[in-house]
């Protein structure tokens, strides 16, 4: 499955696509390179990166052993909302379960995934996930 992309970045005071807070107080700094304070926050920023088409953030926050050579962002997919069902950290490992609603050409769906994260060099990175 390819992932949706958009070309516009919200203003700092606009709602963040992840739904947590204003973009400038939420995912904006992470997309600019600030480290995520938790795996859940990294997951939220990665959802926001998919919603905004920020492939550079996705590549930067993907573990090098599991990162694909190319990240296919599909402009036809619109990400409509994120729900975090579970977030658990154990030292330098974490799991985040989420549901992300999407729309494409009249179709709608929900991507449900249990994602694994690790902390490398003090920064959380996405390893992989199991899609439900």
């Amino acid at each position: 499955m390819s992932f949706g992309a958009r070309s516009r970045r919200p203003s700092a005071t606009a709602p963040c696509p992840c739904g947590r807070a204003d973009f400038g107080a939420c995912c904006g700094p992470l997309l600019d390179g600030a480290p995520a304070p938790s795996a859940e926050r990294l997951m939220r920023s990665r959802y926001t990166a998919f919603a905004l088409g920020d492939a550079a953030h996705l590549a930067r926050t993907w573990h090098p052993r599991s990162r694909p050579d190319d990240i296919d962002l599909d402009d036809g997919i619109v990400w409509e909302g994120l729900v975090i069902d579970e977030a658990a950290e154990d030292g330098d490992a974490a799991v985040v379960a989420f549901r992300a609603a999407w729309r494409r050409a009249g179709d709608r769906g929900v991507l449900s995934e249990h994602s694994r994260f690790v902390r490398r060099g003090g920064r959380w990175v996405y390893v992989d996930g199991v899609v439900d």
Side-chain angles (χ1 to χ4, degrees), residues 42-102:
L42 181 62
M43 179 63 245
R44 289 181 174 281
S45 76
R46 287 178 55 82
Y47 168 85
T48 295
F50 277 114
L52 300 177
D54 189 341
H57 179 70
L58 295 170
R60 186 172 57 248
T61 60
W62 211 314
H63 195 290
R65 290 191 182 136
S66 58
R67 180 177 53 231
D69 293 333
D70 293 311
I71 298 173
D72 181 21
L73 297 175
D74 182 345
D75 289 332
I77 295 177
V78 177
W79 293 98
E80 297 187 318
L82 175 68
V83 175
I84 302 293
D85 293 317
E86 175 187 359
E89 293 180 11
D90 184 12
D92 289 334
V95 174
V96 178
F98 71 91
R99 289 173 284 139
W102 57 268

Side-chain angles (χ1 to χ4, degrees), residues 100-122:
W102 57 268
R103 173 176 41 91
R104 183 172 201 267
D107 291 329
R108 292 183 180 275
V110 175
L111 170 67
S112 180
E113 181 176 307
H114 282 77
S115 300
R116 291 187 318 134
F117 296 84
V118 295
R119 194 170 11 217
R120 295 181 79 229

